[in-house]
Amino acid sequence: MKRWNGWGNVKTGYPLPAPGMNYLVDCLGALDPQPDASLEDVLRSVPGSHLPDHPLVDISPEARLTHARGQSTPDWVALRSGRVPAFPDGVAFPTSDQEVTELLAYAKKTRARVIPYGGGTSVVGHINPPQSDLPVLTISLEKMTHLLDLDEVGWTALFEAGVAGPGLEAQLAQHGYTLGHYPQSHEYSTLGGWIATRSSGQQSFHYGRIEPLFAGGRIETPVGTLTLPHFPASAAGPDVGEMVLGSEGRMGIITQARVRVRRLPEAEAFYGVFFPSWEQGSTAVRVIAQSDLPVSMLRLSSPLETETTLLLSGKSWIPIADRGLRLVGFGDPRCLLVFGATGTAAQVRRVRREAAAICGRHGGLFVGTVVGHTWQKSRFLSPYLRNTLWEAGVNVDTLETALPWPQVLAAARAIPQAIVEAAAQSGERALAFAHLSHLYRDGASVYTTYLFRRPADPDQLLERWQAMKHAASLVIQAHGGTITHQHGVGTDHAPYLAFEKGPLGLDAIRAVCKTFDPDGMMNPGKLF
Ligand SMILES: Cc1cc2nc3c(=O)[nH]c(=O)nc-3n(C[C@H](O)[C@H](O)[C@H](O)COP(=O)(O)OP(=O)(O)OC[C@H]3O[C@@H](n4cnc5c(N)ncnc54)[C@H](O)[C@@H]3O)c2cc1C
């Protein structure tokens, strides 16, 4: 069963060992965890629904609460404090395109606002109901999960868009294929959600982001069905599919999506390298990204992220490895790189040999597969640590950007610094660090994680979070970064969008959405 007020399955935990907890207390100060609101209390706070009966619409408090919020800090604060300002008036679970169309007609008739819902893993307020006098209908695609067609000649697959990561991969694997799209939220996030938010998987260096994987589909809009035929490529004017990517539910509901798939790889491995400095590590990963080496992922942690990750992971072999690394001169500072190779056995061997050699030329110490495979095993487990930390009295959040190479290192230092300074304004300490994750020939994404104590007062927590998020967002802008490399805009990034798109660009986005949704019924308040 899915947690109603946190991340993931109730059965999966991520205990934090004592040294990790002591480290956090040293960094942040003494912790004072406060109890959360109970499920019963929050269910009692769900008001009556304003939607008239419909056989496809569930107006139970349980359905409305479990679809009320996503995974952002404001979402967690709302759910954990029991102060949820708005609930959808009903949640529908269509099983076909026809039912989606029927629901859009019902919404039009009842003047309901519609929120398309995939896995609810948004971290920027995408699926939160607006506070409005008009009813809100959330349409979840959780029952639309089938593989509809597999083209084994052209390597494309057509899915219903509500399919989540594991279900999608399992259906493809039966035929020997993979999409290879692995966001860290893979367990719950869906194909439709990935397209609507321009998601990026951890092995995007090999498989590509969702944009090149998306090859057409079907979108039910308030004014009719938009069909995107599949072409390997086309010069027929602007690409309408590009407009659907990142549309965040404002154009309509993606019900079917064709994706470009590949044969399951013959071999895959993940390796670790330690660098004596952040500069040497980032030069090495840039050189690898600009070479023709078929690496599948690169993730380079800053010195502070490296130490924190090693300490919080709680693995028994780490103290021994630490002593060994210090003996060979890799004490503080040190930066951990995890890189992956995916493909044929020969390609994997080549990547291992040549990437290790590039790292060596930049001062790196190649440490084989132990660290890499530990990362691989916990890649979808680490979000569970957020539950443990919250319950211990710590809030953890992340933010991300992408910048051209000349700005990458400066931004990767300045963003955590801005967060620490914003926390200090309220007398608090924040632990903030970054890694470079998705790498490109012309730049990289900088992914920042920050932790701070959560005060007893939820409003105070939100104020502190807002101050840190805003400070970091201004630094991102000042360095020429995008406000989001992969999480999308939602409500939390909407105030920063105009800076990036310009007034004319933003007008064009609004105009496109209005074409498909003239009455503004689709996910209002998100994106712009
Ligand atoms: C622990 C964690 C790790 C994460 N890691 C990553 C990561 O590695 N990479 C990454 O890119 N993101 C990541 N995210 C963010 C999030 O998972 C992505 O934004 C994801 O693409 C959202 O998919 P979803 O199905 O959960 O969509 P939802 O959260 O349900 O919805 C997101 C938006 O998409 C719209 N939408 C959803 N489905 C449809 C549809 N069928 N038609 C039209 N609109 C639709 C919604 O209206 C909403 O605006 C992470 C989130 C968490 C909580």
Side-chain angles (χ1 to χ4, degrees):
M1 195 174 69
K2 209 169 158 185
R3 278 188 175 81
W4 68 276
N5 64 354
W7 175 255
N9 192 304
V10 286
K11 287 201 185 129
T12 307
Y14 193 127
L16 185 61
M21 194 57 84
N22 297 339
Y23 170 73
L24 288 181
V25 172
D26 282 350
C27 294
L28 305 176
L31 306 177
D32 179 23
Q34 302 291 322
D36 295 324
S38 71
L39 175 60
E40 295 69 31
D41 283 347
V42 187
L43 282 174
R44 267 195 295 275
S45 75
V46 181
S49 168
H50 295 103
L51 277 172
D53 283 350
H54 187 286
L56 292 174
V57 179
D58 182 344
I59 57 161
S60 69
E62 287 78 9
R64 293 170 60 202
L65 168 59
T66 52
H67 294 80
R69 302 296 289 228
Q71 294 289 327
S72 69
T73 287
D75 295 340
W76 273 50
V77 172
L79 293 168
R80 298 265 184 169
S81 68
R83 297 185 348 185
V84 185
F87 296 88
D89 289 273
V91 186
F93 302 92
T95 57
S96 65
D97 281 74
Q98 210 182 345
E99 287 184 356
V100 171
T101 321
E102 191 186 316
L103 285 162
L104 288 179
Y106 160 82
K108 211 183 247 181
K109 205 160 124 199
T110 56
R111 299 191 61 226
R113 311 291 92 176
V114 173
I115 303 179
Y117 188 103
T121 67
S122 161
V123 283
V124 289
H126 279 122
I127 44 108
N128 302 349
Q131 278 173 286
S132 139
D133 293 338
L134 297 169
V136 175
L137 172 66
T138 290
I139 301 186
S140 163
L141 294 210
E142 73 168 56
K143 293 190 175 158
M144 295 182 63
T145 61
H146 298 103
L147 172 62
L148 300 173
D149 176 54
L150 177 65
D151 172 0
E152 297 207 48
V153 178
W155 288 9
T156 67
L158 181 69
F159 279 97
E160 289 180 316
V163 65
L168 177 143
E169 286 296 343
Q171 292 182 75
L172 287 176
Q174 280 178 11
H175 303 275
Y177 292 87
T178 178
L179 179 64
H181 188 74
Y182 298 111
Q184 202 185 32
S185 56
H186 191 249
E187 199 179 341
Y188 293 102
S189 56
T190 65
L191 177 56
W194 300 337
I195 295 164
T197 61
R198 302 184 84 103
S199 153
S200 187
Q202 289 168 338
Q203 284 161 267
S204 65
F205 202 87
H206 176 65
Y207 292 106
R209 294 165 60 92
I210 198 66
E211 293 95 321
L213 299 176
F214 177 47
R218 190 178 163 109
I219 297 95
E220 299 300 346
T221 84
V223 290
T225 303
L226 172 69
T227 306
L228 299 172
H230 165 226
F231 306 107
S234 165
D239 184 351
V240 182
E242 268 295 326
M243 300 175 191
V244 174
L245 284 158
S247 56
E248 302 197 351
R250 297 226 44 168
M251 277 171 59
I253 301 186
I254 305 158
T255 53
Q256 297 179 14
R258 185 170 288 281
V259 283
R260 299 184 170 94
V261 297
R262 296 173 184 238
R263 298 296 298 182
L264 280 167
E266 179 188 316
E268 183 160 75
F270 297 91
Y271 305 100
V273 180
F274 282 93
F275 288 93
S277 76
W278 190 214
E279 288 76 8
Q280 283 160 293
S282 68
T283 305
V285 293
R286 178 174 54 75
V287 171
I288 294 173
Q290 290 171 341
S291 73
D292 288 325
L293 261 189
V295 285
S296 59
M297 60 83 63
L298 293 145
R299 176 192 163 121
L300 177 72
S301 297
S302 71
L304 184 55
E305 179 169 297
T306 301
E307 290 321 303
T308 307
T309 307
L310 294 179
L311 265 159
L312 298 193
S313 79
K315 297 281 174 257
S316 55
W317 53 265
I318 283 180
I320 304 159
D322 181 43
R323 278 198 294 278
L325 283 167
R326 284 178 194 279
L327 276 177
V328 293
F330 284 79
D332 304 321
R334 58 190 164 187
C335 289
L336 173 62
L337 166 67
V338 175
F339 72 89
T342 303
T344 63
Q347 279 170 331
V348 170
R349 281 197 299 276
R350 180 183 159 221
V351 167
R352 179 194 185 281
R353 192 176 59 244
E354 294 185 27
I358 294 173
C359 291
R361 283 201 287 282
H362 292 89
L365 176 72
F366 180 75
V367 293
T369 52
V370 177
V371 179
H373 283 178
T374 304
W375 172 84
Q376 184 189 16
K377 271 190 1 213
S378 64
R379 63 197 287 195
F380 304 129
L381 192 62
S382 35
Y384 284 87
L385 181 57
R386 190 176 174 195
N387 300 321
T388 314
L389 290 175
W390 177 278
E391 281 140 30
V394 175
N395 184 52
V396 54
D397 199 3
T398 61
L399 47 87
E400 29 76 65
T401 179
L403 312 98
W405 275 117
Q407 281 79 50
V408 166
L409 265 198
R413 289 201 175 94
I415 298 165
Q417 184 60 28
I419 291 172
V420 168
E421 284 166 12
Q425 298 280 321
S426 56
E428 276 299 306
R429 281 185 271 163
L431 177 61
F433 41 79
H435 66 254
L436 312 188
S437 51
H438 304 263
L439 275 82
Y440 304 91
R441 282 172 190 266
D442 54 338
S445 82
V446 173
Y447 189 97
T448 305
T449 303
Y450 55 110
L451 298 87
F452 57 99
R453 294 192 298 186
R454 59 180 180 91
D457 177 2
D459 288 332
Q460 201 175 33
L461 198 168
L462 283 178
E463 259 170 48
R464 288 180 187 172
W465 167 81
Q466 184 66 61
M468 291 180 228
K469 174 99 180 161
H470 183 59
S473 301
L474 293 185
V475 168
I476 287 172
Q477 287 183 345
H479 283 77
T482 171
I483 195 63
T484 171
H485 166 265
Q486 63 202 55
H487 288 162
V489 178
T491 49
D492 298 354
H493 290 149
Y496 307 97
L497 196 64
F499 182 83
E500 188 163 329
K501 303 287 182 196
L504 202 52
L506 210 51
D507 277 354
I509 295 171
R510 280 200 195 93
V512 168
C513 293
K514 204 168 166 49
T515 303
F516 296 100
D517 176 28
D519 302 330
M521 64 187 257
M522 300 302 302
N523 213 5
K526 317 300 156 51
L527 190 59
F528 54 81

Short mmCIF file of all heavy atoms in Angstrom, two decimals, residues 5 9 12 25-26 51 66 143 153 165 176 192 221 247 280 332 431 456 465 491 507 523:
data_model
loop_
_atom_site.label_atom_id
_atom_site.label_comp_id
_atom_site.label_asym_id
_atom_site.label_seq_id
_atom_site.Cartn_x
_atom_site.Cartn_y
_atom_site.Cartn_z
N ASN A 5 0.99 10.07 3.17
CA ASN A 5 1.59 11.36 3.53
C ASN A 5 3.12 11.34 3.42
O ASN A 5 3.80 12.05 4.14
CB ASN A 5 1.19 11.77 4.94
CG ASN A 5 1.72 10.79 5.99
OD1 ASN A 5 2.29 9.75 5.63
ND2 ASN A 5 1.54 11.10 7.25
N ASN A 9 5.95 2.90 -0.68
CA ASN A 9 5.20 1.79 -0.12
C ASN A 9 5.36 1.76 1.41
O ASN A 9 6.47 1.92 1.90
CB ASN A 9 5.81 0.52 -0.73
CG ASN A 9 4.97 -0.68 -0.47
OD1 ASN A 9 4.67 -1.00 0.68
ND2 ASN A 9 4.59 -1.35 -1.53
N THR A 12 8.18 -0.50 2.90
CA THR A 12 9.61 -0.28 2.67
C THR A 12 10.12 0.84 3.56
O THR A 12 9.55 1.94 3.57
CB THR A 12 9.86 0.08 1.19
OG1 THR A 12 9.25 -0.93 0.40
CG2 THR A 12 11.35 0.16 0.88
N VAL A 25 22.90 15.78 13.44
CA VAL A 25 22.78 16.65 14.61
C VAL A 25 23.98 17.60 14.66
O VAL A 25 23.82 18.80 14.93
CB VAL A 25 22.64 15.81 15.91
CG1 VAL A 25 22.72 16.68 17.14
CG2 VAL A 25 21.32 15.02 15.88
N ASP A 26 25.17 17.09 14.35
CA ASP A 26 26.36 17.96 14.32
C ASP A 26 26.18 19.08 13.30
O ASP A 26 26.55 20.23 13.54
CB ASP A 26 27.61 17.17 13.89
CG ASP A 26 28.15 16.34 15.04
OD1 ASP A 26 27.68 16.55 16.18
OD2 ASP A 26 29.01 15.48 14.77
N LEU A 51 -19.36 18.12 -6.66
CA LEU A 51 -19.64 17.51 -7.97
C LEU A 51 -20.92 16.68 -7.93
O LEU A 51 -21.14 15.93 -6.96
CB LEU A 51 -18.47 16.59 -8.37
CG LEU A 51 -17.25 17.25 -9.00
CD1 LEU A 51 -16.12 16.24 -9.14
CD2 LEU A 51 -17.59 17.87 -10.36
N THR A 66 -6.08 11.13 -1.03
CA THR A 66 -4.86 10.51 -1.59
C THR A 66 -4.50 11.06 -2.98
O THR A 66 -3.47 10.70 -3.52
CB THR A 66 -5.00 8.97 -1.64
OG1 THR A 66 -6.23 8.65 -2.31
CG2 THR A 66 -4.98 8.35 -0.26
N LYS A 143 -5.73 3.19 -14.22
CA LYS A 143 -6.28 1.95 -14.81
C LYS A 143 -5.96 1.82 -16.30
O LYS A 143 -6.40 0.88 -16.94
CB LYS A 143 -7.79 1.90 -14.59
CG LYS A 143 -8.16 1.74 -13.12
CD LYS A 143 -9.61 1.44 -12.93
CE LYS A 143 -9.90 1.18 -11.46
NZ LYS A 143 -11.32 1.39 -11.14
N VAL A 153 9.70 -4.32 -35.75
CA VAL A 153 10.58 -3.99 -36.87
C VAL A 153 11.16 -2.59 -36.63
O VAL A 153 12.37 -2.37 -36.71
CB VAL A 153 9.80 -4.04 -38.20
CG1 VAL A 153 10.71 -3.65 -39.36
CG2 VAL A 153 9.22 -5.43 -38.41
N GLY A 165 6.52 3.13 -14.30
CA GLY A 165 7.80 2.59 -14.73
C GLY A 165 7.90 1.07 -14.68
O GLY A 165 8.19 0.43 -15.72
N GLY A 176 11.64 -8.71 -24.84
CA GLY A 176 13.07 -8.47 -25.02
C GLY A 176 13.43 -7.01 -25.26
O GLY A 176 14.52 -6.72 -25.76
N GLY A 192 2.62 9.09 -19.05
CA GLY A 192 1.95 10.38 -19.33
C GLY A 192 2.57 11.50 -18.52
O GLY A 192 2.79 12.61 -19.03
N THR A 221 -8.53 16.43 -25.56
CA THR A 221 -8.56 17.83 -25.11
C THR A 221 -10.02 18.28 -24.98
O THR A 221 -10.92 17.62 -25.54
CB THR A 221 -7.83 18.77 -26.11
OG1 THR A 221 -8.75 19.12 -27.16
CG2 THR A 221 -6.59 18.12 -26.71
N SER A 247 3.55 20.02 -21.25
CA SER A 247 2.28 20.76 -21.21
C SER A 247 1.61 20.71 -19.83
O SER A 247 0.66 21.44 -19.57
CB SER A 247 1.32 20.26 -22.29
OG SER A 247 1.12 18.88 -22.16
N GLN A 280 38.91 18.63 -10.73
CA GLN A 280 39.44 17.52 -11.53
C GLN A 280 38.31 16.57 -11.96
O GLN A 280 38.26 16.13 -13.10
CB GLN A 280 40.50 16.75 -10.74
CG GLN A 280 41.84 17.48 -10.69
CD GLN A 280 42.69 16.98 -9.54
OE1 GLN A 280 42.36 17.18 -8.38
NE2 GLN A 280 43.79 16.34 -9.86
N ASP A 332 40.10 14.06 2.75
CA ASP A 332 39.26 15.22 2.43
C ASP A 332 40.08 16.26 1.67
O ASP A 332 41.22 16.51 2.06
CB ASP A 332 38.76 15.86 3.72
CG ASP A 332 38.02 14.84 4.58
OD1 ASP A 332 37.30 14.02 4.00
OD2 ASP A 332 38.21 14.86 5.80
N LEU A 431 22.17 22.01 5.58
CA LEU A 431 23.21 21.18 4.98
C LEU A 431 22.84 21.08 3.50
O LEU A 431 21.79 20.53 3.16
CB LEU A 431 23.19 19.80 5.65
CG LEU A 431 24.15 18.74 5.13
CD1 LEU A 431 25.60 19.18 5.29
CD2 LEU A 431 23.92 17.42 5.88
N ALA A 456 8.38 23.28 14.73
CA ALA A 456 7.06 22.74 15.07
C ALA A 456 5.95 23.42 14.26
O ALA A 456 4.96 22.78 13.90
CB ALA A 456 6.82 22.94 16.56
N TRP A 465 11.58 27.32 4.00
CA TRP A 465 11.77 26.61 2.72
C TRP A 465 11.67 27.59 1.55
O TRP A 465 12.49 27.59 0.65
CB TRP A 465 10.71 25.51 2.59
CG TRP A 465 10.65 24.96 1.20
CD1 TRP A 465 11.47 24.02 0.66
CD2 TRP A 465 9.75 25.34 0.15
NE1 TRP A 465 11.15 23.78 -0.65
CE2 TRP A 465 10.10 24.58 -0.99
CE3 TRP A 465 8.68 26.24 0.06
CZ2 TRP A 465 9.40 24.70 -2.20
CZ3 TRP A 465 8.01 26.35 -1.14
CH2 TRP A 465 8.37 25.59 -2.26
N THR A 491 3.47 24.81 -9.84
CA THR A 491 3.23 26.14 -9.24
C THR A 491 4.53 26.72 -8.70
O THR A 491 4.74 27.93 -8.74
CB THR A 491 2.22 26.06 -8.08
OG1 THR A 491 2.63 24.99 -7.21
CG2 THR A 491 0.82 25.78 -8.57
N ASP A 507 3.60 34.25 -23.87
CA ASP A 507 2.33 34.47 -24.59
C ASP A 507 2.06 33.32 -25.56
O ASP A 507 0.93 32.87 -25.71
CB ASP A 507 2.38 35.78 -25.38
CG ASP A 507 2.06 36.97 -24.51
OD1 ASP A 507 1.71 36.75 -23.33
OD2 ASP A 507 2.20 38.11 -24.99
N ASN A 523 -6.13 22.06 -15.56
CA ASN A 523 -5.06 22.29 -14.58
C ASN A 523 -4.67 23.76 -14.40
O ASN A 523 -3.48 24.12 -14.48
CB ASN A 523 -3.82 21.46 -14.97
CG ASN A 523 -3.07 20.99 -13.73
OD1 ASN A 523 -3.51 21.20 -12.61
ND2 ASN A 523 -1.93 20.37 -13.94
#
